[in-house]
Amino acid sequence: MNCPIDSDTIIACCLGELDDLRAGEVRRHAGSCERCGRELRAFASLCGALDALPRVEPDGRLWGAILARVERTWPLLPWRPAVAAAAAAIAVALGYVFTREAPRPPAGVAVEEMGSRFAHRRIDGGDLSASLRTYLGDARAFIDEALACGGDRDRWRALKERAAERDMVYRALWLRERLIAGEGRRGGGEEDFALVDDLLRILRLVSDRPAEALAADREAIGREIEDMDLPRRLERGAGW
Amino acid sequence: METGDEELMGAVAAGDCGALRALYDRYRARIMSYAFYALGDRGRAEDILQETFIRVFRHAGRFRPGERFSTWAYAIAANLCRDEMRRLRRRRGINAPVPPGPAGERRAPAAESPRRLAAAGEAADRLAAEIAALPGEQREVLALRFIEGMRYAEIAAALRIPIGTVQSRLHAGVRALRARLTEFR
Ligand SMILES: [Zn+2]
């Protein structure tokens, strides 16, 4: 039998691809043609079943896993109490308007507390390459210097200028991404991450780099790391 | 009034995890469902969802105002799904060569996956299982069209393929499903 419509047209009709006029023609024909009527009913009921397929929810714990990874990538957000306190002291010293929601204990105590936190810390690169160890050493030196500034405004301003000059924020973000890329097999340990996070928190205060510029840095670094395919290289046991 | 996706993305670009959470809550079931029906496996779909949001966060600076967040996010998820399909194909290629022909892409859906949809009834189970057995390129357009209710132009933008290709893959997918499911004969 010669039908004026083919099965593709019937499928198109069921998928809503046809305009009203053409769809009307198809339905009229299907009403009087047994074969096309059967086709139309079958595809329409299949499309109805597809439309009714349920959505699937992820496990409720998935967000926690995402947040943990995000915080490793971008540590400028939640403040650990000791660092938050030190940050408050720095902000006071620099005359910043400090709008973070972090708690603000008395400044002197906070800086002291932060100092004691760092006092016992050693840079232990483990499997990290010499260059990463050097960067981590630099990071530590900068933090030590920041802690030594206490409430001295002039010293803070000098440190701030040097941070800008050396593009410290970018370096710190880069360092952190490197640690993440090497995480697990040859990368830094928790202490290394904590060190870079502390550095970034301090830099956040002494840096005038606006949020958009920081986002651009982060993006550029992420792309660089991706292009280098570091995680996969590390998987294969290759060096940095 | 609810904050718009694009506005939230601005906050995400500045490092705001709360904004990322808001987007996650808005899109988690959608992207999860897309990945689930595209990959036919719940665990893998969760991995895709997680990785999608990590990338949303990391690449938020690449998001341009005026762009639609959903299209942008689906493009990320679709890329990840395709990588995963390639990886699975390669692995299958090494361990168990699949016979050529129309059934070449068929694979049994993971044991736990369509069963988990028990609430939706047995017919939906069978349908989900048959979708999982379709070629990947058909699964992804079916998922976007039926689960997400996207228009062809949106699907084309998310998958970076021509609209004509969206249409032909949909038709091929619907045709194949009908051939495999006796209740639609
Ligand atoms: Zn006919």
Side-chain angles (χ1 to χ4, degrees):
Chain A
M1 180 183 162
N2 258 348
C3 283
I5 54 172
D6 57 13
S7 68
D8 240 0
T9 310
I10 290 174
I11 294 174
C13 181
C14 295
L15 286 171
E17 291 170 10
L18 306 181
D19 60 42
D20 290 350
L21 191 72
R22 183 82 181 112
E25 282 169 16
V26 171
R27 289 206 185 88
R28 265 195 305 283
H29 169 79
S32 60
C33 168
E34 201 203 313
R35 191 187 70 93
C36 294
R38 199 172 52 236
E39 292 274 294
L40 186 68
R41 279 191 301 278
F43 280 119
S45 94
L46 171 59
C47 288
L50 284 165
D51 268 327
L53 278 175
R55 282 208 174 151
V56 185
E57 279 283 349
D59 188 297
R61 285 163 301 185
L62 196 71
W63 169 252
I66 293 172
L67 188 63
R69 282 183 65 194
V70 158
E71 283 177 348
R72 296 215 122 170
T73 312
W74 189 235
L76 305 181
L77 306 155
W79 297 64
R80 279 174 297 192
V83 186
I90 295 165
V92 169
L94 288 176
Y96 281 179
V97 181
F98 195 58
T99 55
R100 286 265 170 192
E101 288 165 15
R104 297 180 216 178
V109 177
V111 176
E112 232 169 74
E113 190 189 324
M114 189 173 172
S116 67
R117 239 187 105 232
F118 284 111
H120 62 280
R121 175 173 291 166
R122 289 191 321 275
I123 299 295
D124 183 4
D127 274 329
L128 287 175
S129 71
S131 71
L132 273 183
R133 269 200 297 277
T134 308
Y135 288 131
L136 285 169
D138 286 351
R140 199 215 144 118
F142 191 89
I143 291 170
D144 286 345
E145 237 181 296
L147 294 175
C149 287
D152 186 335
R153 280 179 184 230
D154 291 337
R155 286 182 73 181
W156 273 113
R157 290 195 194 286
L159 199 67
K160 179 179 166 172
E161 271 163 34
R162 202 144 49 75
E165 216 171 85
R166 293 172 55 196
D167 211 358
M168 288 288 291
V169 175
Y170 190 93
R171 282 163 181 249
L173 286 170
W174 181 90
L175 179 54
R176 191 159 213 298
E177 290 288 338
R178 281 292 164 92
L179 289 175
I180 291 166
E183 196 175 8
R185 194 179 162 104
R186 296 163 64 99
E190 285 302 319
E191 281 287 281
D192 297 325
F193 277 107
L195 180 77
V196 180
D197 287 355
D198 289 336
L199 174 64
L200 279 163
R201 288 182 174 100
I202 289 170
L203 286 172
R204 167 86 170 186
L205 285 167
V206 299
S207 165
D208 289 328
R209 223 157 150 59
E212 310 87 70
L214 288 175
D217 285 348
R218 190 159 49 81
E219 184 205 334
I221 293 163
R223 206 160 41 221
E224 187 190 323
I225 299 280
E226 262 176 30
D227 291 347
M228 291 174 71
D229 204 17
L230 270 176
R232 252 161 234 133
R233 279 176 52 195
L234 288 161
E235 239 176 59
R236 293 199 303 266
W240 288 91
Chain B
M1 208 183 76
E2 205 181 48
T3 314
D5 292 349
E6 285 69 28
E7 211 175 312
L8 286 171
M9 274 306 283
V12 171
D16 184 342
C17 285
L20 187 73
R21 173 75 201 247
L23 285 168
Y24 175 80
D25 285 341
R26 214 171 270 182
Y27 285 95
R28 59 164 199 250
R30 297 180 55 181
I31 292 175
M32 174 75 191
S33 304
Y34 161 67
F36 175 79
Y37 288 105
L39 295 171
D41 183 285
R42 193 184 168 86
R44 288 198 184 105
E46 281 180 343
D47 290 347
I48 298 288
L49 177 62
Q50 176 172 161
E51 199 55 39
T52 299
F53 273 85
I54 295 293
R55 292 193 184 194
V56 164
F57 192 75
R58 176 175 280 184
H59 301 313
R62 286 185 209 177
F63 182 80
R64 299 280 157 260
E67 217 173 339
R68 280 187 67 161
F69 172 76
S70 59
T71 308
W72 190 73
Y74 273 112
I76 295 174
N79 266 331
L80 291 166
C81 281
R82 286 166 172 187
D83 285 349
E84 183 65 12
M85 287 177 204
R86 267 196 296 276
R87 225 169 49 77
L88 290 168
R89 252 200 315 269
R90 263 205 305 275
R91 191 187 293 168
R92 270 206 313 272
I94 295 162
N95 298 333
V98 212
E105 281 260 10
R106 273 188 88 106
R107 76 182 175 88
E112 69 151 343
S113 46
R115 296 288 138 226
R116 295 284 289 266
L117 295 173
E122 210 179 301
D125 274 7
R126 271 201 306 281
L127 186 52
E130 287 303 339
I131 292 171
L134 291 173
E137 55 183 34
Q138 290 172 19
R139 293 198 299 265
E140 60 183 14
V141 289
L142 282 169
L144 291 180
R145 164 66 176 77
F146 289 104
I147 314 298
E148 299 315 318
M150 280 191 180
R151 288 170 314 184
Y152 290 12
E154 291 174 295
I155 300 174
L159 299 178
R160 308 224 159 87
I161 54 176
I163 291 184
T165 308
V166 172
Q167 189 183 24
S168 61
R169 287 180 185 175
L170 262 178
H171 281 223
V174 167
R175 209 183 276 283
L177 286 176
R178 188 197 166 195
R180 287 168 186 186
L181 291 157
T182 49
E183 58 262 53
F184 301 113
R185 293 267 161 78

